[in-house]
Amino acid sequence: MGYNKYFKDEVAPVLAKLSADTKPEWGSMNAEEMVEHLIAGVTISMEDAPRKITTPEDKLPVFKKFLMSDRPFGKDLPRPKEFDDYPTKNGDINGKKVELLKRIEEMLQYFEKHPYHSAIHSSFGRLNVEEWKHLHKKHFTHHFLQFGLL
């Protein structure tokens, strides 16, 4: 399945199963924090802000190879530091889910308009549009599994 189809057709029905009371199968985030975490990730991918790459340069090819593989993220990985710039807000989870879907649509439009865009991820280095889409699909799947939605 193509990335755009995944984001346009698959994400909303999965998110619809999530409620504020949905408990994670692992990790410390609650449902609202997870949705905000995904919003932050989508936002980061559209920015080209200077970010410190925490992975040693000689390890980046291995990290990127893993990223682009079908191997899932492990459980209980530390959250990349750049997410600290996007603090969680109090609010209604349904509003946050709507905001996430809106940000996804903005991202898809932005990537279509700027196909040569790239931005830095602290663990994987500079990523192009296709790499960001792959990361988001892998990241969303990871958290949807975490909350028992898949």
Side-chain angles (χ1 to χ4, degrees):
M1 168 188 320
Y3 298 118
N4 288 5
K5 182 169 176 37
Y6 169 78
F7 290 114
K8 289 180 180 182
D9 298 342
E10 302 293 323
V11 171
V14 174
L15 268 183
K17 297 187 247 180
L18 182 71
S19 72
D21 298 329
T22 307
K23 301 290 183 225
E25 295 180 13
W26 72 83
S28 60
M29 277 193 268
N30 64 37
E32 289 183 39
E33 291 168 334
M34 182 269 286
V35 174
E36 286 191 346
H37 175 73
L38 294 177
I39 292 167
V42 170
T43 301
I44 287 167
S45 70
M46 290 186 283
E47 300 172 341
D48 192 14
R51 289 197 166 77
K52 178 176 172 45
I53 299 172
T54 57
T55 303
E57 192 172 339
D58 64 323
K59 302 282 189 221
L60 280 173
V62 173
F63 273 62
K64 196 171 280 192
K65 183 177 180 182
F66 163 75
L67 171 65
M68 298 310 291
S69 75
D70 290 332
R71 289 182 32 224
F73 288 126
K75 297 177 182 177
D76 294 322
L77 292 171
R79 184 176 71 161
K81 295 286 184 217
E82 66 254 39
F83 284 90
D84 294 344
D85 295 337
Y86 300 87
T88 57
K89 304 167 253 178
N90 292 326
D92 154 56
I93 193 166
N94 291 319
K96 291 176 184 185
K97 292 191 298 186
V98 168
E99 182 181 350
L100 175 57
L101 294 172
K102 189 170 121 186
R103 292 299 287 167
I104 290 169
E105 185 57 37
E106 289 171 5
M107 175 193 72
L108 294 174
Q109 289 174 6
Y110 182 84
F111 285 170
E112 175 131 349
K113 196 176 202 177
H114 304 281
Y116 299 106
H117 169 77
S118 67
I120 294 173
H121 184 281
S122 64
S123 298
F124 298 107
R126 185 162 289 282
L127 302 178
N128 65 32
V129 165
E130 289 305 302
E131 291 165 335
W132 273 110
K133 287 181 186 179
H134 191 83
L135 180 144
H136 288 312
K137 183 176 180 188
K138 184 179 272 203
H139 190 217
F140 279 49
T141 300
H142 169 79
H143 288 297
F144 291 166
L145 288 168
Q146 177 187 18
F147 281 83
L149 305 174
L150 295 177

